[in-house]
Amino acid sequence: MGASNFLSVGALFITLLSSLWFLPELAIAKHADAGTTRHYQFDIQMQNVTRLCHTKSIVTVNGQFPGPKIFAREGDRLVIKVVNHVQNNISLHWHGIRQLRSGWADGPAYITQCPIQTGQTYVYNFTIVGQRGTLWWHAHISWLRSTLYGPIVILPQQNSSYPFAKPDKEVPIIFGEWFNVDTEAIINQALKTGGGPNVSDAYTINGLPGPLYNCSAKDTFKLKVKPGQTYLLRLINAALNDELFFSIANHTLTIVDADAVYVKPFTTDTLLIAPGQTTNVLLKTKSHYPNATFLMLARPYVTGQGTFDNSTTAGILEYELPSKSSSSATNLLKKLPLFKPQLPALNDTSFATNFSKKLRSLATAQFPANVPQTVDRRFFFTVGLGTNPCPKNHTCQGPSNKTMFAASINNISFAMPTTALLQTHFLRQSNNVILTTTFPTKPVIPFNYTGTPPNNTNVSNGTKLVVLPYNTSVELIMQDTSILGAESHPLHLHGFNFFVVGQGFGNYNPNKDPASFNLIDPVERNTVGVPVGGWVAIRFLADNPGVWFMHCHLEIHTSWGLKMAWVVLDGKLPNQKLPPPPSDLPKC
């Protein structure tokens, strides 16, 4: 495709997408066959946006908030040209995409790439292999993902179908947070003082806070439906710091997919979705016009001891009227009763646990659960909060005026490098020098992880990695700690899906707990919640060469250092090796 053709088709495609939020994705896909190359242009630019009667200039893609939707089929290649027109350095992550041998396109700043600087361009080029469902893209530097995010809809290959009844319509629903002030100022202030960050002013549904907030009645997402139809809702949690409960009044939801992997369907009135996670649900509407409208609500699931945004975002499920008389229809809608769902209590860990345990892989011949049955390497990671000493002659706002909040894995708070780790790894590997690291496979000093915390809460700081030979099967136990309070942590692993083979409360017991592991049909995903005061066990096969970030998807915890990286070495065969970096890879 020539340059002029690329630009015209790209601009037309973006225009179509921005105006077709509710168009069934299958109609969009008719523009190209399976296995095609799809081009997008993402212009990073400032845009004035007003919410809650506050207008501010935010960083956007193509002036849209939320950003444009990406549509593709399994097997398609995506070529996304990102042009940075703003003063911030930018990098974008395609959350949940496996990035098989395309780690240069993964996006986390200073891990797989240096950020795209002002006036610079980078082309993300990758192929979607063996995935179908809902994923999402977002900025992966500082807190810019508060406004830089959008859905990725991956349709099955041509002539393939869903393992459930075909829906009449498909709608992406993306949850977010709105801050009246600049989020970069919020995180900069928090890191400077060592205290907790200011919380958001509202949660949003597709960028809209909804009628339960002041000055927000007009900024309400409305899902207009017809009786007797089935809607596939593609739910995404893009919130910075909060897991969310979600429910629609007087309607049940059937869960069919999590993190772009089909699951055994089950019905529920309410679901829980952590930042980074996606969930596809089927909504079956009532068979007849109900003479009512229905609120759909999302509010946080809270486990930590810090402050949080204790508010609720609302959208409206509205049935199309049987008659088309415009004036009378408007008056009728205003008089209809509005039903409200009952959400679990803010701290309902029992619901959270029961919900997560219902998620199981399909584990069929067509969609198998390829759980590693044997394990080559075992790791035990503690995840949680801690402290750093306050700098001399400073007054800090951490747990005490002599400390600053920190977060760590195995008591190591990750220090971001100044050159992308993938570049360092590739250059060393090209010269037959393997990157060596000292990241501990288990805590250096064991303690009662969920009991009385130790007196010394200080963490160590460093850029330490774990190196894995190609095709290593890994079992990882992630244990929450009670240091500065137990808390649920949604951990996201780049470059891989993993199987959640077990979870529990208290301290993990290696002599007893493995007996209860599910090695038959565990849920497969890319982001999992480490239970508050508990542990989770995952398994994955390290079959993707590169450097892969793993971090808490609560943005404040990532900022405090709850992150690390895995290095997967090249295999022996040509298709098991990381290709060289693209010529336009951004420079630091």
Side-chain angles (χ1 to χ4, degrees):
M1 181 179 287
S4 60
N5 196 17
F6 164 81
L7 289 172
S8 60
V9 172
L12 175 60
F13 201 45
I14 289 167
T15 303
L16 280 169
L17 289 181
S18 65
S19 62
L20 295 175
W21 184 273
F22 300 110
L23 190 70
E25 287 83 348
L26 290 173
I28 291 282
K30 290 177 181 176
H31 289 282
D33 296 328
T36 192
T37 298
R38 298 176 186 258
H39 291 269
Y40 287 83
Q41 177 148 337
F42 276 22
D43 285 299
I44 310 295
Q45 58 195 57
M46 304 304 294
Q47 181 71 37
N48 285 339
V49 173
T50 302
R51 297 288 186 271
L52 311 180
C53 283
H54 285 260
T55 300
K56 68 172 184 174
S57 186
I58 65 172
V59 184
T60 69
V61 168
N62 302 342
Q64 299 176 41
F65 173 68
K69 293 163 292 300
I70 289 177
F71 291 98
R73 286 192 181 275
E74 178 188 348
D76 283 356
R77 178 172 164 238
L78 288 172
V79 179
I80 304 166
K81 182 180 181 182
V82 178
V83 186
N84 185 8
H85 301 281
V86 303
Q87 294 304 307
N88 308 78
N89 287 343
I90 296 293
S91 72
L92 296 183
H93 170 53
W94 319 95
H95 185 111
I97 298 288
R98 281 290 318 272
Q99 298 293 0
L100 287 164
R101 299 179 65 236
S102 57
W104 304 107
D106 191 44
Y110 302 106
I111 306 297
T112 60
Q113 68 167 92
C114 297
I116 307 165
Q117 298 178 37
T118 305
Q120 300 299 306
T121 298
Y122 182 46
V123 177
Y124 291 91
N125 189 334
F126 55 90
T127 299
I128 299 170
V129 180
Q131 294 182 278
R132 78 294 299 167
T134 303
L135 296 172
W136 63 299
W137 61 265
H138 60 82
H140 213 302
I141 182 169
S142 192
W143 278 25
L144 291 175
R145 78 172 177 88
S146 63
T147 60
L148 275 177
Y149 61 81
I152 302 175
V153 173
I154 308 171
L155 305 171
Q157 291 178 333
Q158 292 280 16
N159 303 317
S160 296
S161 58
Y162 297 124
F164 46 82
K166 180 182 175 182
D168 297 291
K169 199 172 185 180
E170 305 185 8
V171 183
I173 293 180
I174 189 160
F175 305 108
E177 287 181 90
W178 172 262
F179 297 77
N180 285 333
V181 300
D182 179 17
T183 51
E184 291 302 278
I186 291 174
I187 183 55
N188 290 340
Q189 176 75 3
L191 294 178
K192 182 179 179 181
T193 65
N198 291 339
V199 301
S200 56
D201 294 283
Y203 299 104
T204 58
I205 299 176
N206 290 348
L208 303 171
L212 302 185
Y213 295 100
N214 290 332
C215 193
S216 189
K218 292 182 179 179
D219 289 329
T220 300
F221 171 71
K222 291 186 178 181
L223 177 59
K224 297 185 178 181
V225 299
K226 295 179 180 178
Q229 294 202 330
T230 301
Y231 294 79
L232 178 65
L233 307 183
R234 299 176 174 270
L235 308 178
I236 301 163
N237 187 351
L240 283 186
N241 292 309
D242 290 282
E243 301 181 66
L244 295 170
F245 293 119
F246 174 72
S247 183
I248 302 177
N250 295 23
H251 290 74
T252 57
L253 304 170
T254 302
I255 313 291
V256 294
D257 181 302
D259 288 358
V261 182
Y262 298 131
V263 299
K264 289 183 171 70
F266 67 93
T267 59
T268 183
D269 294 328
T270 304
L271 59 84
L272 177 66
I273 184 168
Q277 292 183 337
T278 63
T279 306
N280 281 5
V281 303
L282 295 178
L283 168 68
K284 178 80 173 172
T285 58
K286 299 181 181 300
S287 57
H288 302 289
Y289 182 74
N291 283 318
T293 54
F294 306 90
L295 282 175
M296 39 187 170
L297 302 181
R299 79 172 182 203
Y301 164 53
V302 181
T303 57
Q305 297 181 7
T307 56
F308 64 96
D309 179 357
N310 185 10
S311 67
T312 304
T313 182
I316 295 177
L317 180 71
E318 186 175 286
Y319 280 73
E320 290 188 13
L321 290 165
S323 64
K324 295 294 181 182
S325 53
S326 56
S327 57
S328 60
T330 302
N331 292 330
L332 178 59
L333 282 172
K334 289 180 179 178
K335 296 177 182 177
L336 289 177
L338 178 63
F339 289 98
K340 182 179 180 181
Q342 289 295 317
L343 288 172
L346 291 167
N347 61 351
D348 194 341
T349 295
S350 175
F351 176 91
T353 304
N354 292 333
F355 178 80
S356 64
K357 286 184 176 179
K358 291 177 184 176
L359 293 164
R360 299 289 183 94
S361 289
L362 270 185
T364 61
Q366 185 179 3
F367 303 106
N370 296 316
V371 191
Q373 298 296 310
T374 59
V375 175
D376 299 321
R377 297 282 306 276
R378 284 184 165 85
F379 298 87
F380 182 86
F381 287 178
T382 56
V383 296
L385 302 186
T387 57
N388 277 319
C390 188
K392 289 184 178 180
N393 301 320
H394 278 66
T395 299
C396 291
Q397 297 175 6
S400 73
N401 61 11
K402 295 181 179 179
T403 60
M404 308 177 75
F405 276 109
S408 68
I409 298 177
N410 277 354
N411 206 47
I412 296 173
S413 188
F414 189 83
M416 293 295 278
T418 54
T419 301
L421 291 173
L422 187 59
Q423 284 176 280
T424 304
H425 164 64
F426 183 83
L427 291 173
R428 289 189 180 188
Q429 190 167 256
S430 300
N431 296 320
N432 296 317
V433 179
I434 295 176
L435 198 64
T436 56
T437 69
T438 54
F439 195 95
T441 61
K442 59 184 179 181
V444 176
I445 303 175
F447 61 98
N448 183 0
Y449 307 115
T450 55
T452 303
N455 292 328
N456 183 359
T457 61
N458 283 351
V459 301
S460 61
N461 298 273
T463 309
K464 300 181 180 182
L465 315 173
V466 172
V467 177
L468 298 171
Y470 183 83
N471 252 9
T472 300
S473 58
V474 174
E475 179 179 281
L476 169 62
I477 311 298
M478 291 184 283
Q479 171 76 58
D480 184 34
T481 74
S482 56
I483 298 175
L484 302 184
E487 189 167 356
S488 174
H489 298 277
L491 265 291
H492 171 48
L493 176 61
H494 290 228
F496 300 94
N497 281 351
F498 50 75
F499 292 94
V500 184
V501 297
Q503 65 179 36
F505 291 102
N507 295 337
Y508 172 73
N509 187 327
N511 298 317
K512 295 181 179 179
D513 289 326
S516 64
F517 283 3
N518 175 9
L519 303 180
I520 299 171
D521 64 346
V523 67
E524 179 183 352
R525 56 190 326 162
N526 63 61
T527 305
V528 66
V530 179
V532 53
W535 55 271
V536 67
I538 67 172
R539 288 186 179 185
F540 66 95
L541 184 65
D543 59 352
N544 194 5
V547 177
W548 304 106
F549 207 24
M550 189 177 82
H551 61 96
C552 184
H553 228 276
L554 302 179
E555 209 63 30
I556 185 57
H557 291 175
T558 293
S559 299
W560 284 339
L562 210 167
K563 50 197 174 187
M564 56 83 67
W566 305 81
V567 178
V568 179
L569 302 176
D570 281 353
K572 295 179 180 179
L573 301 177
N575 66 351
Q576 298 172 344
K577 297 181 186 300
L578 178 70
S583 59
D584 64 338
L585 187 72
K587 294 178 174 57
C588 286

